[in-house]
Amino acid sequence: MDVMPKWAEVILVPLISLILAAILSAIVILAIGESPWDALKLMIEGALGSTYGWGYTLYYATNFIFTGLAVAIAFHARMFNIGGEGQAVLGGLGVALVCMYIPWPHWSLALVGASLGAALFGAAWAAVPAYLQAKRGSHIVITTIMFNFIAAALLNYLLIGALKMPGSMEPATGKFPEPTHLPSFQDMFSFGETALFRGAPANVSFFVAVAACIAVWALIWRTRLGYEIRAYGHSESAAKYAGISPTKIIMIAMMISGALAGMMAINNVMGEAERLVLNAVEGAGFIGIAVALMGRSHPFGVFLAAILFGFLYQGGAELALWTSIPRELIIVIQALVILFTGALDQMVRGPLEKMFLAARQRKQATGKLEAAE
Amino acid sequence: MDFLTLLQILDSTVRLATPLLLACLAGLFSERAGIFDIGLEGKMLAAAFLSGAVAYTSGSVWLGLLAGIAASLALSAVHGLASITFRGNQLISGVAINFLAAGLTVVVAQSWFAQGGRTPQLTGGARFNPIELPFAEALRDVPVFGPIYAELISGHTFIVYLAALTVPLTWWILYRTRFGLRMRAVGENPAAVDTAGVSVVGLRYAAVGICGILCGIAGAYLATALQAGFVKDMSAGRGYIALAALIFAKWRPWYALYACLLFGFLQALALRPDLIERVLTFKVNGQLLDVLPYILTVIILAGFVGKAIPPRAGGEPYVKER
């Protein structure tokens, strides 16, 4: 029997972790001589106070949904995919190749093609560490870290060499052709005189991310493969006994994970930059870890956590613009969220479990007393 | 390539290998005791910042070194708390520590010095200065040995010599002391150590503490010896290269020295592309040299060149039987 009711497990534990992270962040802001309350107001105003702010918040959230789902699906198979960053870099490469070298008639077809390209490249980049884990027992965390560095160097090499726009000094590809430009929220939701989301980078790939959430939910809880992934994650020996091949599960779970991380590129490379630049991922692969932990590896939780981190990113940019608080404060908050929801989980959970246990025993004791009377 | 250029390359190899070596031995203590530590990078970075900041304000590099060690130890305490006391996931804790350091150093540096997340330049007594070994100048004219002694062995900072001494010291602690034996045992089979009446928790905290001290020295070296002051993200992946070196060395101290010298040599070569081109008569890609440590580690991990087997209880929180 579970010690805690489900609502406490799903809502209370992440909420308390979040509050702890928020308190420590407030202390950091106080320590550098700013007011946490004003900072919070500024962040809410900047990120959620206008459709422009929302446009940025949802743009960042789209990235984090993809990388968060990627980490979450690996967590279900009890693997820690720390290589989302590298897989997203390779996804960007896939998107760039598809957009530049295939003449697309319409953006919708280009989106399908680019998604496939991104997923394929991301999955391929995750497949090597997965194979080494499954067949040679190399620790997936170490190999995926190494692959992040190798991916960054590979992209660097290509962008100053083969893929660089001729005649340009900047390490970047040329602009993708017109038919591959995705409609932004401004194109989609502005009617006549009223222009909403003006100039914000949120685009149609947000809906692809939402669809990916639903697809991952269906995969994990409604298919045989998802069942096998969860079974393997709970107990490798039991899964083996049930005839589930560990090699197959490691490979498939990691490749789906890599594909999802890679698909982030349809948002940042195809939707926003419309060309491939160095460091386009900007750490979103790592934020996926915080998002997955916060969202308890459930697609809906990942969705909410991604929106929260989108808000933090846009709000953090506003803070850096208007106050002396640098953008790096967001990295501190992100670290605290990972620390409390991931590593110090037991610290939050322990006292809560004791509380619920004590409450239940009290209830049982009074029940017995009443029965005796 | 003439003899003197070779010596110059080897000289910068030694300087670049020093922080790798200290961080690698730090990881060795932690991982041999069964605590995975991917937070080496963050601890170095935090130490680099605080040592730079304190050395600048106090003017004393020694106070800076102590402050660096303190910063690194504080993060070690967080790691210990998460992975030993609360039995959390050690890898996730390490990731959190890396981000915590990457963010906090810039936020605090901006607040203290307002120079875009760096400390001001360190000068004079706020830096570790090269130590001239005795007779270096007198022996310079002796053929072969003279230049080697004067160029390569003499003229490094205190921490370089300290790092070199740490290797035999680590070997001695690990294989010749009771503490070392128990520490290795706790990384392989903590239940057996517990049965013998030795505290698993105590041993692991001690190992994590030693790891913190060594990472602190490595970080202080970056800001006060290798460069003159802290700059944003100055650890630049060295913590991960140290981790790679640790696997490359299969968790053994002397091999850690060789691995770090090799990776330091690659870094030194990457700084001199002109030289490589002259010697090899064709151009070697700089990126390739940068990622070679990572590629080599993946190959070693894959077991194609001798298998790297980590300590058996690594990454597993120890739950005492009740």
Side-chain angles (χ1 to χ4, degrees):
Chain A
M1 189 165 67
D2 290 332
V3 183
M4 278 196 284
K6 202 162 168 65
W7 66 268
E9 172 77 41
V10 176
I11 300 170
L12 204 57
V13 175
L15 198 67
I16 292 176
S17 304
L18 195 66
I19 291 171
L20 283 174
I23 291 173
L24 281 182
S25 311
I27 293 174
V28 171
I29 297 177
L30 269 180
I32 59 175
E34 297 272 345
S35 152
W37 181 243
D38 290 348
L40 184 66
K41 271 199 296 195
L42 196 61
M43 284 174 80
I44 292 177
E45 180 62 39
L48 310 176
S50 62
T51 55
Y52 170 82
W54 271 102
Y56 268 95
T57 300
L58 292 180
Y59 163 72
Y60 289 122
T62 308
N63 288 342
F64 304 154
I65 290 174
F66 280 122
T67 54
L69 286 177
V71 177
I73 208 160
F75 273 155
H76 277 291
R78 194 157 294 185
M79 273 183 298
F80 188 15
N81 178 13
I82 200 168
E85 192 78 5
Q87 289 142 19
V89 167
L90 263 281
L93 188 61
V95 165
L97 292 179
V98 166
C99 287
M100 286 197 302
Y101 295 112
I102 299 178
W104 295 99
H106 189 256
W107 65 263
S108 55
L109 291 174
L111 180 61
V112 174
S115 301
L116 284 177
L120 206 68
F121 271 62
W125 203 246
V128 186
Y131 178 81
L132 292 178
Q133 167 82 59
K135 285 289 180 193
R136 321 277 317 185
S138 334
H139 203 299
I140 196 118
V141 170
I142 305 289
T143 36
T144 46
I145 290 178
M146 302 295 144
F147 266 66
N148 282 343
F149 285 103
I150 300 173
L154 179 69
L155 186 71
N156 199 343
Y157 169 72
L158 288 174
L159 284 184
I160 56 175
L163 287 180
K164 197 178 75 157
M165 189 167 70
S168 156
M169 286 305 287
E170 200 191 355
T173 65
K175 208 85 170 149
F176 297 157
E178 186 68 39
T180 65
H181 293 185
L182 296 180
S184 68
F185 275 19
Q186 186 184 348
D187 304 334
M188 293 156 69
F189 297 112
S190 298
F191 307 99
E193 290 298 297
T194 49
L196 298 178
F197 298 102
R198 192 195 295 273
N203 58 70
V204 68
S205 46
F206 173 72
F207 300 106
V208 181
V210 174
C213 281
I214 298 168
V216 167
W217 173 81
L219 172 77
I220 294 284
W221 279 284
R222 287 291 177 274
T223 66
R224 177 194 288 254
L225 177 66
Y227 172 76
E228 288 181 351
I229 289 176
R230 282 182 295 136
Y232 176 79
H234 278 289
S235 163
E236 184 177 347
S237 51
K240 261 191 202 158
Y241 191 69
I244 297 168
S245 151
T247 309
K248 179 185 138 192
I249 296 300
I250 292 175
M251 290 297 291
I252 290 182
M254 275 306 284
M255 282 171 74
I256 296 173
S257 176
L260 284 166
M263 275 179 71
M264 180 197 128
I266 60 169
N267 186 43
N268 69 338
V269 175
M270 191 179 182
E272 200 254 343
E274 293 172 349
R275 61 189 189 135
L276 187 59
V277 295
L278 273 181
N279 193 21
V281 185
E282 288 182 316
F286 294 121
I287 296 157
I289 300 167
V291 168
L293 285 169
M294 181 92 220
R296 286 287 179 260
S297 300
H298 189 287
F300 187 64
V302 166
F303 177 79
L304 290 182
I307 302 268
L308 175 75
F309 270 90
F311 154 73
L312 285 176
Y313 258 67
Q314 172 54 14
E318 291 285 319
L319 275 188
L321 203 61
W322 301 110
T323 69
S324 65
I325 303 172
R327 247 197 125 151
E328 277 75 9
L329 180 72
I330 303 309
I331 301 183
V332 178
I333 299 178
Q334 174 195 341
L336 292 170
V337 169
I338 295 177
L339 193 65
F340 284 113
T341 56
L344 288 173
D345 192 50
Q346 201 59 39
M347 187 180 87
V348 178
R349 190 181 293 266
L352 275 179
E353 282 180 349
K354 276 205 190 102
M355 252 171 54
F356 277 105
L357 212 60
R360 183 183 294 159
Q361 275 163 352
R362 232 184 356 255
K363 215 170 170 184
Q364 277 171 350
T366 49
K368 270 184 200 147
L369 271 178
E370 275 161 14
E373 282 166 8
Chain B
M1 184 165 53
D2 58 295
F3 187 55
L4 207 62
T5 334
L6 179 70
L7 280 185
Q8 277 171 2
I9 290 272
L10 292 179
D11 186 57
S12 61
T13 299
V14 170
R15 273 185 285 122
L16 291 167
T18 299
L20 299 181
L21 179 61
L22 285 164
C24 184
L25 293 174
L28 190 144
F29 274 102
S30 184
E31 301 210 346
R32 269 297 175 104
I35 304 290
F36 277 158
D37 195 352
I38 52 176
L40 298 174
E41 175 86 3
K43 278 182 252 186
M44 273 165 90
L45 192 63
F49 166 67
L50 206 63
S51 67
V54 169
Y56 174 75
T57 37
S58 70
S60 158
V61 68
W62 297 102
L63 283 179
L65 178 63
L66 283 182
I69 293 175
S72 173
L73 271 177
L75 289 180
S76 274
V78 173
H79 191 53
L81 198 69
S83 52
I84 305 171
T85 305
F86 288 110
R87 297 185 212 119
N89 186 321
Q90 300 167 5
L91 299 164
I92 292 176
S93 166
V95 171
I97 283 169
N98 285 341
F99 285 124
L100 200 60
L104 267 184
T105 49
V106 178
V107 170
V108 178
Q110 180 61 22
S111 153
W112 286 0
F113 302 108
Q115 293 196 355
R118 40 190 296 254
T119 64
Q121 283 270 313
L122 301 179
T123 48
R127 279 191 75 190
F128 280 107
N129 292 311
I131 299 171
E132 203 72 15
L133 292 185
F135 314 117
E137 279 314 303
L139 290 173
R140 189 178 276 277
D141 297 329
V142 178
V144 186
F145 173 74
I148 289 182
Y149 184 71
E151 285 284 329
L152 188 59
I153 299 177
S154 166
H156 289 290
T157 54
F158 166 72
I159 294 183
V160 175
Y161 300 112
L162 181 71
L165 282 180
T166 312
V167 179
L169 187 67
T170 304
W171 174 85
W172 185 75
I173 291 177
L174 214 54
Y175 297 107
R176 288 292 180 275
T177 67
R178 186 185 303 190
F179 171 72
L181 177 67
R182 288 174 174 174
M183 211 190 75
R184 281 182 291 137
V186 93
E188 297 288 337
N189 191 346
V193 177
D194 204 17
T195 315
V198 182
S199 163
V200 173
V201 171
L203 275 171
R204 287 193 162 171
Y205 264 108
V208 169
I210 296 172
C211 169
I213 293 172
L214 289 174
C215 273
I217 301 173
Y221 175 81
L222 291 180
T224 60
L226 196 63
Q227 290 175 35
F230 172 84
V231 288
K232 183 180 162 181
D233 283 331
M234 80 179 307
S235 50
R238 284 190 175 89
Y240 296 114
I241 297 191
L243 212 57
L246 184 60
I247 295 164
F248 211 71
K250 298 175 188 166
W251 294 268
R252 292 168 299 181
W254 284 106
Y255 291 88
L257 173 67
Y258 309 143
C260 290
L261 283 176
L262 172 67
F263 292 170
F265 181 66
L266 291 176
Q267 287 187 341
L269 276 187
L271 293 178
R272 295 289 302 270
D274 55 311
L275 212 66
I276 309 169
E277 208 176 332
R278 211 165 61 213
V279 173
L280 294 175
T281 65
F282 61 86
K283 215 173 157 143
V284 173
N285 189 273
Q287 265 90 39
L288 185 67
L289 282 175
D290 284 337
V291 294
L292 212 51
Y294 305 118
I295 295 176
L296 286 177
T297 305
V298 171
I299 293 171
I300 287 284
L301 267 175
F304 295 127
V305 195
K307 201 155 173 58
I309 299 164
R312 200 145 60 109
E316 303 271 330
Y318 177 63
V319 184
K320 214 180 170 89
E321 281 176 88
R322 269 186 253 268

